[in-house]
Amino acid sequence: GFVVGHAGLYQALAMFAVAYFIIGMTVLSVCAIATNGALDAGGAYYMISRALGPEFGGSIGIMFFLANVCGSALYVLGLVEAVVDSFGIPPGQKAGTGVHVLPQSYWYELLYGTVLLALCLLVCLVGASIYAKATFLIFLIVAGVLGTILVSFFATRPIGVPIRLPHFNGSETENGSFTGFSLTTLRENLGGGYGVDYTTGQMMSFSSVFAVMFNGCTGIMAGSNMSGDLKRPSYSIPRGTISAVLFTYLVYNLLAFLMCATCNRTLLQKDYGFLRDISIFPPLVTVGIYAATLSAAMSNLIGASRILYALARDDLFGRALALAKKTSASGNPVMAVILSWLVVQLVLFSGKLNTIAGVVTTFFLLVYATVNLACLALEWASAPNFRPTFRYFTWHTCLLGIAGCCVMMFLISPVSASASLGFLLVLLLALHYLSPSSTWGYISQALIFHQVRKYLLMLDVRKDHVKFWRPQMLLMVQNPRGSARLIDFVNDLKKSGLYVLGHVELQDLDALPSDPLQPQQDSWLSLVDKLNVKAFISLTLAPSVRHGVRQLLFTSGLGGMRPNTLVLGFYDDAAPQDGLARHPAFTSAREEIPLGFPPLRAPADPKLLSAREYVGIVADALKMLRNVLLARQLESLDKAWELRRAASPPPAIHVWPVNLLRPDSARYADTCSLFLLQMACVLNMARAWRRARLRLFLCVEAGAMPHAQEEKLRQLLKDLRIQAQIQLVPWDAVTRLHWQTRRGPPGGPAPTGEEEEEEGAVNFPANATQVSDEYVCAANKLVLEQSPAPAVRFLYLPRPPADTSLYPLYLHQLELLTRGLGPTVLVHGVSAVTSTQL
């Protein structure tokens, strides 16, 4: 009567259509989730938490608990209104007459509500079995009353109904009319005629009437809330819920038409209990109203208690809900029932039904939207294990349900909707950071996998362009205990590219009962989390380190995301230091160093690879057209101190783009020099290194027009948009040592084409025989003399010699060149990585 009295028949039917459209879409999602596996206590909360994870599940669980709590209070207040309407002392009278003996005031109505809520509490404390029996009895009563009402519309003759309304300190009487079936009455009730709600004194509108009406449709979730008490929830929930939706939708539409055709608007708007006045047996209508509202109140109360119990059992809120875990000997969560009852009692202080209707509807719409979101996520994730036996849904129905819920939420009350979403966001963030991890499975992981696979297929290596080149690193790590700072440094070098930590385990799988790498995987992943680096892990078994690195270079990555740069620690005799023990992530008393990694190698212990094998790894990477970085003494780099010190000038990055081991063929614009410049610039672009300044060293000889070389280099830097300070370094004394060791004088025969060819992919020059140790030491001194000392140096890495017998000599000269330089990165690039184009 309230709905059609204010909204009229057309708008009432539209409201029912919208409400049941939203509910219908949600029911399809509920049925799909309910038939996809075993259900436990918690209903919609259980479905959402197991589908979307603990953050969404816990936050929506709280919202659904509050929705059921407020819904229970709403139905209790509705029952109080019905009781007072039947037995209350009329306004303006001090003493009651006949059956009208109950005083009316805010506190008296609160007392009546408390008594009725206590009755609901007693039924719920006994358990689900008595509740099920009580609701079945109530269903029979309501069905009988409904039949009587339908007969009354046809059997009752037209009558006038006096309506006594409160007015200031007294009351006034208006006359409503039951006209019987009348075309005139129907025409008058077709359109809307919103008036003042006589219980609250507020002006009604489409949204406020819809909010009250929608609460009469939320009982469809009562069955799913009892999922833990049903013998076959996957069977009962779809059948019972769909039957309830269809039955109530037909009944509501039929009653709306009958009321509009037989009752004038005054009767519908001013007397919400008019069905008693037109019934052929008025007491039965009163009993039906009491039974229906009492059943709805109990349904919401027991639903709230089951949700609270499920939240407590999942331990998402820790000790805050520990009390709600306690159950009776029969398994009834008595403490959850009592706590729910206390919260409902607090809500009863709001006083009037229509006051909290908007809040309840907003909460329910939010929960329904999230149920649809859970089903949509499961459908979009395309997980093989999502195969519900209920198939009458698609992602379109889920999306329509979400859109309908969101639109109606903001139409009903923008303030309540915004506040609810804000509260939901706060709960999401709190649970994300404070709740323990779960073993339920995260739908976000399935969705990410689905999207990543799709975009990886779209990443076509044939469309690569140098303009969009980025470093994709494979860092080989023997033991993370000695490589913590190197791992962090390479993380700064990757520039949003792929970063893989590779490790080779020297074992033979044929001689092992199982894969030894699987138990290590968690330790490596925990290390990545603790060091806060964005890296993948790639572990392999191999008979030698060189074979293992080859495997990783061939197999690491996927599609267009494959490592293009190999990073190795330097091969020297320095004793490894445990960097994890000093790392900030592991210095807290509460943190433990990962125990999955073995102790560091003692200085006297043999190494796992020889010098020849180490240089062979570099040669293999260059054959595969991978860039190579060799990092020496990076464990001595205290990045925090270097970059935060207040001293002036700011920390520097020294760049030497000339091949110091081939002074006779020194060039600044070859592929390797440009790659070295690019890597130094990438490091400088990292957030932690932006305060550092690039210093580029230009080695010049007397009579070689140094200013022209400097201007040419400055123009190159300008074209490449690299900001760096150029410093001229005379090195005549160093090159003189080189020419003295040559077979001929400086003006003698030119080197052969084989010696001069530096960029060939296969033809390695034997450059290790070209320079003496004396020259290399002089070059090392030249680099070391450039002050102030930088945070890190970038040096040109020559190719290994073609003669493998010269590998130890090559490594020896690299060691002499970088001795005592501090953190140093030797760089050799084989691919074009710079671009001057837009």
Side-chain angles (χ1 to χ4, degrees):
F2 169 81
V3 175
V4 295
H6 288 283
L9 180 61
Y10 290 153
Q11 293 188 38
L13 295 179
M15 287 182 187
F16 292 139
V18 171
Y20 275 88
F21 174 79
I22 294 172
I23 289 170
M25 298 301 102
T26 305
V27 164
L28 296 180
S29 299
V30 168
C31 294
I33 299 175
T35 58
N36 189 53
L39 277 180
D40 207 339
Y45 157 72
Y46 187 86
M47 299 177 192
I48 294 169
S49 62
R50 269 49 178 184
L52 299 183
E55 295 92 348
F56 254 107
S59 53
I60 287 296
I62 290 294
M63 301 294 285
F64 200 27
F65 167 75
L66 294 176
N68 278 275
V69 161
C70 293
S72 181
L74 182 140
Y75 289 121
V76 169
L77 290 173
L79 181 55
V80 169
E81 284 188 10
V83 170
V84 169
D85 194 45
S86 299
F87 303 106
I89 298 174
Q93 295 185 13
K94 294 184 179 180
T97 57
V99 295
H100 300 281
V101 294
L102 296 179
Q104 293 191 53
S105 71
Y106 170 80
W107 293 105
Y108 273 113
E109 290 178 7
L110 178 62
L111 175 63
Y112 305 150
T114 302
V115 172
L116 293 171
L117 183 60
L119 177 61
C120 297
L121 172 66
L122 290 176
V123 174
C124 294
L125 282 176
V126 173
S129 58
I130 189 68
Y131 164 75
K133 294 175 182 176
T135 51
F136 181 70
L137 177 62
I138 290 171
F139 169 75
L140 295 178
I141 295 173
V142 172
V145 172
L146 181 60
T148 303
I149 290 172
L150 293 176
V151 171
S152 299
F153 280 112
F154 296 92
T156 303
R157 296 179 179 180
I159 56 173
V161 181
I163 307 168
R164 184 169 294 177
L165 300 172
H167 184 70
F168 296 106
N169 294 326
S171 63
E172 62 179 9
T173 301
E174 291 190 26
N175 291 317
S177 300
F178 175 79
T179 62
F181 286 96
S182 168
L183 188 59
T184 302
T185 304
L186 179 61
R187 286 173 177 170
E188 291 175 353
N189 289 329
L190 289 178
Y194 295 100
V196 175
D197 174 24
Y198 71 87
T199 64
T200 62
Q202 297 177 355
M203 185 67 185
M204 292 291 100
S205 63
F206 180 92
S207 59
S208 58
V209 172
F210 181 86
V212 175
M213 182 276 300
F214 191 80
N215 286 286
C217 311
T218 56
I220 56 108
M221 296 295 281
S224 63
N225 289 342
M226 296 291 293
S227 56
D229 300 298
L230 298 173
K231 291 182 179 179
R232 297 171 60 192
S234 297
Y235 175 86
S236 304
I237 289 176
R239 286 161 177 78
T241 307
I242 292 175
S243 301
V245 169
L246 294 176
F247 178 75
T248 54
Y249 180 67
L250 292 174
V251 169
Y252 283 160
N253 280 275
L254 178 60
L255 288 176
F257 174 77
L258 293 176
M259 290 175 184
C260 286
T262 58
C263 304
N264 72 351
R265 194 174 294 273
T266 301
L267 181 63
L268 295 174
Q269 283 189 354
K270 305 297 184 180
D271 185 6
Y272 300 154
F274 70 94
L275 289 177
R276 287 190 303 269
D277 301 318
I278 66 171
S279 174
I280 56 175
F281 189 55
L284 190 59
V285 175
T286 302
V287 172
I289 293 173
Y290 294 170
T293 50
L294 190 64
S295 170
M298 284 193 298
S299 171
N300 281 268
L301 179 60
I302 201 167
S305 67
R306 295 309 189 264
I307 296 166
L308 187 64
Y309 172 65
L311 283 166
R313 195 177 58 178
D314 287 339
D315 206 25
L316 296 182
F317 295 89
R319 297 180 181 178
L321 297 180
L323 190 63
K325 293 181 183 179
K326 297 183 179 179
T327 63
S328 64
S330 60
N332 186 32
V334 289
M335 291 309 301
V337 173
I338 293 173
L339 290 174
S340 302
W341 166 75
L342 287 174
V343 181
V344 175
Q345 183 64 56
L346 292 175
V347 179
L348 287 180
F349 282 92
S350 62
K352 291 295 181 181
L353 180 150
N354 293 352
T355 305
I356 60 173
V359 177
V360 177
T361 300
T362 302
F363 281 175
F364 272 112
L365 284 170
L366 192 57
V367 173
Y368 291 172
T370 313
V371 170
N372 284 301
L373 177 63
C375 190
L376 177 67
L378 289 169
E379 178 70 7
W380 274 357
S382 301
N385 283 324
F386 182 63
R387 43 178 185 268
T389 56
F390 182 87
R391 296 301 304 166
Y392 301 102
F393 78 100
T394 66
W395 65 268
H396 303 85
T397 61
C398 302
L399 208 56
L400 287 171
I402 295 171
C405 290
C406 293
V407 169
M408 290 314 301
M409 263 174 37
F410 282 94
L411 282 179
I412 291 170
S413 175
V415 175
S416 296
S418 301
S420 300
L421 289 173
F423 182 52
L424 177 65
L425 182 61
V426 170
L427 287 173
L428 272 172
L429 293 174
L431 286 172
H432 179 72
Y433 289 106
L434 300 178
S435 69
S437 59
S438 72
T439 57
W440 306 336
Y442 292 82
I443 190 63
S444 58
Q445 294 298 302
L447 289 171
I448 290 170
F449 177 89
H450 185 267
Q451 292 302 108
V452 167
R453 181 194 64 85
K454 182 169 70 174
Y455 287 118
L456 270 176
L457 291 171
M458 296 170 62
L459 191 60
D460 191 345
V461 294
R462 295 168 295 183
K463 297 180 181 178
D464 283 347
H465 194 278
V466 67
K467 288 190 299 184
F468 306 112
W469 179 90
R470 66 182 72 236
Q472 305 200 71
M473 304 293 199
L474 171 61
L475 170 61
M476 297 306 304
V477 180
Q478 178 183 346
N479 190 333
R481 292 182 185 274
S483 308
R485 287 182 175 173
L486 176 58
I487 293 171
D488 184 58
F489 178 79
V490 178
N491 187 62
D492 291 334
L493 271 179
K494 71 179 187 308
K495 188 55 179 172
S496 303
L498 178 67
Y499 184 17
V500 180
L501 296 181
H503 173 71
V504 179
E505 193 78 15
L506 299 182
Q507 296 190 56
D508 184 4
L509 189 60
D510 289 339
L512 298 171
S514 61
D515 182 7
L517 299 179
Q518 291 300 323
Q520 298 182 27
Q521 195 79 17
D522 286 344
S523 296
W524 283 87
L525 292 174
S526 298
L527 175 76
V528 168
D529 292 339
K530 294 292 184 185
L531 295 181
N532 195 27
V533 295
K534 298 176 181 178
F536 297 96
I537 303 299
S538 188
L539 312 179
T540 188
L541 288 177
S544 69
V545 176
R546 187 174 181 181
H547 281 85
V549 176
R550 282 179 185 171
Q551 291 176 21
L552 294 178
L553 284 172
F554 277 126
T555 61
S556 292
L558 195 63
M561 294 187 67
R562 293 185 179 278
N564 56 28
T565 305
L566 174 67
V567 186
L568 302 172
F570 196 77
Y571 190 94
D572 56 19
D573 295 325
Q577 302 293 323
D578 195 338
L580 288 187
R582 304 188 306 271
H583 197 279
F586 299 96
T587 53
S588 171
R590 295 177 298 174
E591 301 288 352
E592 294 183 358
I593 297 176
L595 302 178
F597 304 119
L600 288 171
R601 175 183 60 85
D605 293 342
K607 297 183 179 180
L608 294 179
L609 76 164
S610 64
R612 185 175 302 233
E613 188 180 9
Y614 176 82
V615 180
I617 292 172
V618 176
D620 291 343
L622 296 176
K623 285 181 181 179
M624 298 179 191
L625 298 181
R626 303 295 202 277
N627 310 300
V628 176
L629 274 61
L630 304 183
R632 186 172 191 186
Q633 295 186 15
L634 262 297
E635 287 305 303
S636 66
L637 173 63
D638 190 346
K639 186 176 72 173
W641 182 82
E642 287 284 356
L643 300 178
R644 294 175 186 171
R645 58 180 176 169
S648 183
I653 301 172
H654 285 190
V655 183
W656 295 79
V658 65
N659 185 355
L660 294 174
L661 296 186
R662 287 291 301 272
D664 55 331
S665 62
R667 296 194 300 272
Y668 287 92
D670 64 8
T671 301
C672 185
S673 297
L674 292 176
F675 180 80
L676 189 150
L677 275 173
Q678 181 82 321
M679 295 311 299
C681 180
V682 166
L683 180 65
N684 193 212
M685 293 170 69
R687 180 178 300 177
W689 291 86
R690 285 177 184 167
R691 284 189 62 250
R693 295 292 179 263
L694 287 179
R695 294 182 67 193
L696 188 62
F697 293 91
L698 177 60
C699 297
V700 295
E701 299 180 55
M705 295 187 295
H707 294 293
Q709 294 183 32
E710 180 184 3
E711 187 60 32
K712 185 177 179 181
L713 183 58
R714 196 178 302 279
Q715 183 61 41
L716 175 65
L717 294 177
K718 182 180 179 182
D719 292 341
L720 297 176
R721 290 90 61 205
I722 297 176
Q723 295 182 358
Q725 174 191 352
I726 299 176
Q727 182 170 334
L728 300 181
V729 180
W731 70 330
D732 296 81
V734 178
T735 56
R736 190 177 300 115
L737 293 172
H738 169 66
W739 293 117
Q740 289 173 358
T741 60
R742 300 273 296 190
R743 294 179 181 177
T752 64
E754 180 181 343
E755 293 175 346
E756 186 66 31
E757 179 59 45
E758 180 71 18
E759 298 305 318
V762 178
N763 185 21
F764 294 91
N767 57 4
T769 63
Q770 302 292 316
V771 294
S772 65
D773 287 358
E774 184 182 8
Y775 163 79
V776 177
C777 290
N780 168 264
K781 184 179 179 182
L782 179 71
V783 174
L784 194 57
E785 286 175 347
Q786 308 307 314
S787 60
V792 64
R793 290 180 173 90
F794 283 84
L795 270 62
Y796 191 116
L797 174 67
R799 280 181 174 274
D803 186 354
T804 58
S805 65
L806 297 176
Y807 280 1
L809 178 59
Y810 169 80
L811 186 59
H812 169 68
Q813 291 185 342
L814 291 181
E815 194 279 328
L816 287 179
L817 180 64
T818 58
R819 182 179 293 176
L821 295 185
T824 304
V825 182
L826 292 162
V827 181
H828 192 100
V830 296
S831 55
V833 297
T834 57
S835 173
T836 58
Q837 302 175 3
L838 286 177

